[in-house]
Amino acid sequence: MRARTILLNNRPQGMPTDDTFKFTEIDLPALQEGQVLLKALYISVDPYMRGRMSEAKSYVAPYKLNEPITGGVVAEVVESRNGRLPQGAVVLGNLPWQTYSLSDGTGLTPVDPNLAPLSYHLGILGMPGLTAYCGLLFIGDPKPGETVVVSGAAGAVGTVVGQIAKIKGCRVVGIAGSDEKISYLKQDLGFDEAINYKTAGNIQQALAAACPKGVDVYFDNVGGEISDAVYSLLNNFARIAICGQISFYNATSPPTGPRVEPILLKTKSLMKGFIVGDYVDRFGEAASGLASWLKEGKLQYEENVLEGFDQLPHAFLGLFKGENIGKQLVKVADYSAAGR
Amino acid sequence: MRARTILLNNRPQGMPTDDTFKFTEIDLPALQEGQVLLKALYISVDPYMRGRMSEAKSYVAPYKLNEPITGGVVAEVVESRNGRLPQGAVVLGNLPWQTYSLSDGTGLTPVDPNLAPLSYHLGILGMPGLTAYCGLLFIGDPKPGETVVVSGAAGAVGTVVGQIAKIKGCRVVGIAGSDEKISYLKQDLGFDEAINYKTAGNIQQALAAACPKGVDVYFDNVGGEISDAVYSLLNNFARIAICGQISFYNATSPPTGPRVEPILLKTKSLMKGFIVGDYVDRFGEAASGLASWLKEGKLQYEENVLEGFDQLPHAFLGLFKGENIGKQLVKVADYSAAGR
């Protein structure tokens, strides 16, 4: 079996480019007992993957040079020598960016094709949804009537954060980078206010106007000056969940700015960094909460799907240009329900 | 009754000076029913009082211009028209910097003169001791074998933090600003390592050598570059209790520096500001814990006592020059045990 794959061609300094990726083809050997042949249906691109492209030790191991990029993939079993995973089964896993790949089944989670569209398992029912749920509820702990601010609000995580906060009875203010996103957040997702940081002028003043009672919970995906503006409005005992710092992912030197510690002291606030894996023992609770709200129509979900394996680098690079509304992913193949 | 008092003469820009304070005398009226006449025995000076000298809203209200500075005072009842507080009783309260003052008893806590030296109620058995206990145990949550770093280690709070961390089975590293303090921390208090940040050269390297297994808990009294050095050594899931930021209390503009959020994200660490009053519902537990350890000889306690009401400004200013080892206070009068 011939498969197309995308390797890490070099470690980017600053913003990744097309040259960061190398397309090639490989031959997959015949299946051994216990193995399955997987056909990639949907492949996820996520901001955290930028960290893995650098050599520096982080919370996940760096990608290796000249080896395939890996990430969240929904795939179909098209050939099986593994009793647990029959042909036609759909699985979610951390898999290489390849049209086809082999697996012994380790780490693969079967997905019910009738529960929701398959791609949802890379978004609202997958890592981004769980990230939103766990970070907002277990760190942010929002109470009815409190004000919740979310940055990167129109992204895969931010859209879910804001909607859960609304379900919890909070005033929700989103920060995003285009008028289209602002309109989506307010009109479609029910955010109370949304601010376009690119056109707002003084972001601190715009936020102050949107948060007349101050800020109790801040779910941060971006960091930097947007965060500084939020900090200036923190109420006593505020909670800040640091989910991402995308404004710095392509920085070539450690970022500097106003120190936050004096503000945390003055307001007696809590700030915590996290990754979704920290809450693995609560995924069951989180997944069933998300699935229920989705079923009840309380959660809207938007995807930005590019078609074709070739689109993966472009989809990934777009994350840093603010191109996507909702979850960004790439559709690689159709689900056949019977293999091949 | 004639009393001496110290007023806030002006709001300091940057470091306070002698001119910040104004000595004067006042006449106290005769006691009314329900009132007591208090003679100050010990008066506390604490870094947080600097914040109250500024006009900016903070977690405690600003001092008013041309009114007495107030703070922690141990006083003796020398005349009483209040049945709850007989002549000769000793009380702890937030009282004006005055040799004598009147009170209706509100907010005064009776102190047992046989439990410990009276001044201890301004230190290890008072606000600084409770601050150390609550911040270290309720935010830092140190586990046996973990590494705990405390800045401002030789101060009223830091000395208690380090000793409690030793009781909890941790490796304890203190940071302070003189060789005398370093020697006190290591020889007298049993810190595993102590670093003189003024002579260590590269503080980050010195800390790395002192913390071969990284840092799990950081109790911060100072902020700034010392904190930056600690952050570079944080282990996953580290906890940082922000108790003070004395390096900035006299700053005239908001401090800047490396951003800590990317580090908190990478290490999934928690940072929380607090004041001791946040834990008022756990003071009973904390006070009895401290008293037991003191009785068992597990806690050493040092005071730096200046004699005489006139010394109050000098004692306060010394806090920002790193002059004190242990708790800084001023003895104003002897306890007579029978009034006057």
Side-chain angles (χ1 to χ4, degrees):
Chain A
M1 167 63 70
R2 196 89 176 149
R4 299 184 68 204
T5 184
I6 301 177
L7 312 179
L8 180 65
N9 191 40
N10 56 51
R11 300 199 183 280
Q13 306 294 318
M15 185 74 79
T17 65
D18 285 341
D19 188 51
T20 305
F21 306 93
K22 184 161 98 191
F23 284 80
T24 186
E25 294 199 359
I26 54 169
D27 279 311
L28 298 177
L31 278 194
Q32 297 192 347
E33 186 55 36
Q35 286 189 321
V36 291
L37 175 65
L38 298 169
K39 179 176 71 172
L41 304 179
Y42 292 94
I43 297 182
S44 180
V45 294
D46 298 278
Y48 82 89
M49 302 172 88
R50 172 63 184 86
R52 301 192 64 185
M53 293 176 178
S54 298
E55 203 151 21
K57 186 188 140 199
S58 184
Y59 48 79
V60 272
Y63 294 127
K64 291 186 178 147
L65 274 179
N66 296 311
E67 295 200 8
I69 310 284
T70 61
V73 176
V74 167
E76 178 178 359
V77 176
V78 290
E79 232 184 285
S80 176
R81 294 186 66 185
N82 181 320
R84 192 174 72 89
L85 298 170
Q87 188 177 330
V90 180
V91 296
L92 173 67
N94 191 67
L95 292 168
W97 282 12
Q98 282 178 202
T99 50
Y100 291 88
S101 61
L102 295 182
S103 167
D104 64 1
T106 307
L108 297 185
T109 308
V111 159
D112 176 359
N114 301 312
L115 183 69
L118 289 177
S119 58
Y120 280 33
H121 298 279
L122 293 174
I124 195 160
L125 295 178
M127 191 270 285
L130 294 170
T131 300
Y133 188 104
C134 295
L136 178 65
L137 299 187
F138 303 151
I139 298 174
D141 192 22
K143 314 280 194 314
E146 289 191 329
T147 298
V148 175
V149 173
V150 53
S151 61
V157 175
T159 49
V160 183
V161 167
Q163 292 181 87
I164 297 177
K166 283 307 297 176
I167 291 170
K168 295 291 177 184
C170 299
R171 177 177 178 79
V172 176
V173 177
I175 306 171
S178 77
D179 288 344
E180 185 192 1
K181 289 176 179 177
I182 297 310
S183 160
Y184 172 65
L185 295 174
K186 289 172 75 171
Q187 308 307 324
D188 297 338
L189 301 190
F191 280 48
D192 296 286
E193 283 295 340
I195 296 169
N196 182 344
Y197 71 90
K198 290 184 180 165
T199 60
N202 185 320
I203 174 85
Q204 202 276 338
Q205 282 176 13
L207 258 174
C211 305
K213 292 183 180 172
V215 176
D216 301 292
V217 177
Y218 176 40
F219 191 106
D220 183 21
N221 290 301
V222 304
E225 290 174 16
I226 288 174
S227 291
D228 296 334
V230 179
Y231 299 156
S232 72
L233 298 168
L234 292 181
N235 290 329
N236 280 346
F237 304 108
R239 290 84 63 197
I240 301 164
I242 308 262
C243 175
Q245 296 278 285
I246 198 170
S247 67
F248 304 135
Y249 289 177
N250 297 308
T252 49
S253 61
T256 60
R259 289 189 186 268
V260 70
E261 296 92 330
I263 299 172
L264 297 182
L265 177 58
K266 192 174 117 181
T267 60
K268 302 165 269 190
S269 293
L270 177 147
M271 174 179 276
K272 184 167 181 352
F274 77 105
I275 59 169
V276 65
D278 301 346
Y279 298 97
V280 68
D281 55 341
R282 301 184 77 171
F283 279 1
E285 164 193 355
S288 80
L290 290 163
S292 301
W293 289 327
L294 201 60
K295 205 169 171 180
E296 295 164 18
K298 291 183 179 168
L299 282 182
Q300 305 300 315
Y301 181 55
E302 185 127 342
E303 297 176 324
N304 193 4
V305 183
L306 291 175
E307 299 258 349
F309 188 75
D310 287 344
Q311 294 294 315
L312 273 163
H314 174 62
F316 177 77
L317 297 175
L319 294 173
F320 302 96
K321 296 172 188 154
E323 291 181 356
N324 58 305
I325 284 188
K327 174 60 191 164
Q328 178 68 61
L329 38 82
V330 174
K331 183 176 176 184
V332 177
D334 283 314
Y335 172 45
S336 67
R340 297 287 161 106
Chain B
M1 165 63 72
R2 196 89 175 145
R4 301 184 66 206
T5 185
I6 302 177
L7 312 179
L8 181 65
N9 192 40
N10 54 51
R11 300 199 184 280
Q13 305 296 318
M15 185 72 81
T17 66
D18 285 342
D19 189 51
T20 305
F21 306 94
K22 183 160 100 190
F23 284 82
T24 186
E25 292 199 0
I26 55 170
D27 279 312
L28 297 178
L31 277 195
Q32 297 192 346
E33 187 56 35
Q35 286 189 323
V36 291
L37 176 65
L38 298 169
K39 178 176 73 172
L41 304 179
Y42 292 95
I43 297 181
S44 182
V45 294
D46 298 278
Y48 82 90
M49 303 172 87
R50 172 64 184 86
R52 300 193 65 185
M53 293 176 179
S54 298
E55 203 151 18
K57 186 189 140 199
S58 185
Y59 49 78
V60 273
Y63 294 128
K64 290 184 180 150
L65 274 180
N66 296 311
E67 294 200 10
I69 310 282
T70 60
V73 176
V74 167
E76 179 178 359
V77 176
V78 291
E79 232 183 284
S80 178
R81 293 185 68 185
N82 181 318
R84 193 174 69 90
L85 298 169
Q87 187 176 330
V90 181
V91 297
L92 173 67
N94 191 67
L95 293 167
W97 282 12
Q98 280 177 203
T99 51
Y100 291 89
S101 59
L102 295 182
S103 167
D104 65 3
T106 307
L108 297 184
T109 307
V111 158
D112 176 359
N114 301 312
L115 183 68
L118 290 177
S119 58
Y120 280 32
H121 298 280
L122 295 173
I124 194 160
L125 296 178
M127 190 271 285
L130 293 170
T131 300
Y133 188 103
C134 295
L136 178 65
L137 298 187
F138 303 152
I139 299 174
D141 191 22
K143 314 280 193 313
E146 288 190 331
T147 298
V148 175
V149 173
V150 53
S151 62
V157 175
T159 50
V160 183
V161 167
Q163 292 181 87
I164 296 177
K166 283 308 296 177
I167 291 170
K168 294 293 178 183
C170 299
R171 176 176 179 82
V172 176
V173 177
I175 306 171
S178 76
D179 287 344
E180 186 191 0
K181 290 176 178 177
I182 297 309
S183 158
Y184 172 63
L185 296 174
K186 291 172 72 170
Q187 309 307 324
D188 297 339
L189 301 189
F191 281 46
D192 295 286
E193 281 297 338
I195 296 169
N196 181 344
Y197 71 89
K198 291 183 180 165
T199 59
N202 184 321
I203 174 84
Q204 201 276 339
Q205 281 177 13
L207 259 174
C211 304
K213 291 181 181 174
V215 176
D216 301 292
V217 177
Y218 176 39
F219 191 106
D220 183 20
N221 290 301
V222 305
E225 291 175 15
I226 287 173
S227 292
D228 296 334
V230 179
Y231 299 155
S232 71
L233 298 168
L234 291 182
N235 290 329
N236 280 346
F237 304 107
R239 289 82 64 194
I240 301 165
I242 309 263
C243 175
Q245 296 277 287
I246 198 170
S247 67
F248 304 133
Y249 289 177
N250 296 308
T252 50
S253 62
T256 60
R259 290 189 185 267
V260 70
E261 295 92 330
I263 299 172
L264 297 183
L265 177 58
K266 192 173 116 181
T267 60
K268 300 166 270 190
S269 292
L270 178 148
M271 174 179 275
K272 185 170 182 347
F274 76 104
I275 61 169
V276 65
D278 301 344
Y279 298 96
V280 67
D281 56 341
R282 301 185 76 171
F283 279 2
E285 164 193 354
S288 81
L290 290 164
S292 301
W293 288 327
L294 200 59
K295 205 168 171 181
E296 294 164 20
K298 290 183 179 170
L299 283 182
Q300 306 299 316
Y301 181 56
E302 185 126 343
E303 296 176 324
N304 192 3
V305 183
L306 290 174
E307 299 258 351
F309 188 75
D310 289 342
Q311 293 295 314
L312 273 163
H314 174 62
F316 177 76
L317 298 175
L319 294 173
F320 302 96
K321 296 172 188 154
E323 290 181 355
N324 57 307
I325 284 188
K327 174 62 192 162
Q328 178 67 60
L329 39 81
V330 174
K331 183 177 176 182
V332 177
D334 283 314
Y335 173 47
S336 67
R340 300 286 161 107

